[in-house]
Amino acid sequence: DAGVIQSPRHEVTEMGQEVTLRCKPISGHNSLFWYRQTMMRGLELLIYFNNNVPIDDSGMPEDRFSAKMPNASFSTLKIQPSEPRDSAVYFCASSISDIQYFGAGTRLSVL
Amino acid sequence: GQQVMQIPQYQHVQEGEDFTTYCNSSTTLSNIQWYKQRPGGHPVFLIQLVKSGEVKKQKRLTFQFGEAKKNSSLHITATQTTDVGTYFCANAGGTSYGKLTFGQGTILTVHP
């Protein structure tokens, strides 16, 4: 298996633009997690899905953030409009038990 | 999952020295997991401990789960430069969804 696949690996955008991050979980995994990591705040859980259904989005910082999982093999995290403080590394992880497998992450820079 | 506090936040060692990071909770944990994140990389699962007093070893790494299941430690014997990175402990809350509560992580630097 190729593991959790995230795209793009790097994204540089200007403030106010829409940003879409993509994630393909490991086949057969039924839970998917979106995290944000910064030096200041560490690793933060934004939202997670189980069987494609959002379970807890209490970590989503603002209404500017939204996430979808239209099917078992794809999820998106969208930021609209983006702001400089959204600059971070965004990780997607999937699991079928308690063990989580992380993607390589998307490094987002909002100028 | 229950909150887990991890100490120290940073640790600088000379190559060959030992290293230990600790994970503590005020409540009983159902299990504890350890992850390693290399600089510029992503968290990678190392091990899971479930039983009270459990000790597991992976080469130079020794993982312990406290008797009361409220604390855990990761000990590295004779560190190498390849050990650099951030070590996280995490607790699964016992739900069926696999959600983890991560500690703040310990950043390990190894000087050659």
Side-chain angles (χ1 to χ4, degrees):
Chain A
D1 199 320
V4 176
I5 299 174
Q6 291 187 247
S7 65
R9 289 295 311 277
H10 302 274
E11 177 81 29
V12 180
T13 191
E14 292 187 345
M15 181 174 62
Q17 296 297 306
E18 177 179 296
V19 175
T20 299
L21 311 181
R22 297 172 175 79
C23 176
K24 177 178 168 56
I26 293 173
S27 177
H29 284 193
N30 60 357
S31 290
L32 183 141
F33 305 82
W34 281 101
Y35 292 90
R36 178 172 68 176
Q37 187 175 44
T38 62
M39 286 297 294
M40 290 296 295
R41 301 175 70 91
L43 192 62
E44 302 174 274
L45 176 64
L46 301 177
I47 185 172
Y48 67 99
F49 297 82
N50 183 255
N51 293 324
N52 313 338
V53 176
I55 302 299
D56 184 355
D57 65 353
S58 60
M60 297 285 261
E62 300 171 31
D63 291 344
R64 299 184 295 107
F65 286 69
S66 63
K68 294 182 179 180
M69 192 165 186
N71 57 63
S73 58
F74 185 65
S75 177
T76 59
L77 177 68
K78 186 176 293 186
I79 308 173
Q80 166 63 17
S82 59
E83 296 183 4
R85 58 188 168 135
D86 302 330
S87 298
V89 179
Y90 291 81
F91 289 107
C92 173
S94 71
S95 74
I96 190 167
S97 60
D98 289 342
I99 298 169
Q100 292 190 10
Y101 297 84
F102 285 74
T106 296
R107 183 172 296 275
L108 174 65
S109 297
V110 183
L111 307 177
Chain B
Q2 295 94 328
Q3 291 286 336
V4 287
M5 301 299 294
Q6 204 172 340
I7 56 170
Q9 187 176 0
Y10 301 95
Q11 186 74 58
H12 308 278
V13 300
Q14 287 292 131
E15 189 172 21
E17 293 181 340
D18 291 357
F19 159 76
T20 304
T21 174
Y22 300 90
C23 189
N24 300 298
S25 172
S26 59
T27 59
T28 301
L29 302 170
S30 53
N31 60 60
I32 198 79
Q33 296 181 14
W34 287 92
Y35 290 75
K36 176 184 178 181
Q37 183 178 18
R38 295 181 185 274
H42 58 279
V44 175
F45 172 78
L46 294 177
I47 208 158
Q48 177 169 272
L49 305 172
V50 179
K51 299 178 183 177
S52 169
E54 190 170 14
V55 178
K56 289 187 177 180
K57 292 189 176 184
Q58 291 180 350
K59 298 182 181 178
R60 295 178 294 104
L61 278 61
T62 301
F63 304 85
Q64 291 188 310
F65 202 7
E67 293 288 343
K69 299 183 74 173
K70 290 185 177 181
N71 55 72
S72 180
S73 65
L74 159 58
H75 180 82
I76 302 178
T77 303
T79 54
Q80 300 175 0
T81 55
T82 54
D83 294 325
V84 298
T86 303
Y87 292 85
F88 293 96
C89 63
N91 169 244
T95 71
S96 60
Y97 304 134
K99 177 188 174 183
L100 297 176
T101 300
F102 281 86
Q104 303 92 319
T106 296
I107 299 173
L108 172 65
T109 305
V110 180
H111 300 285

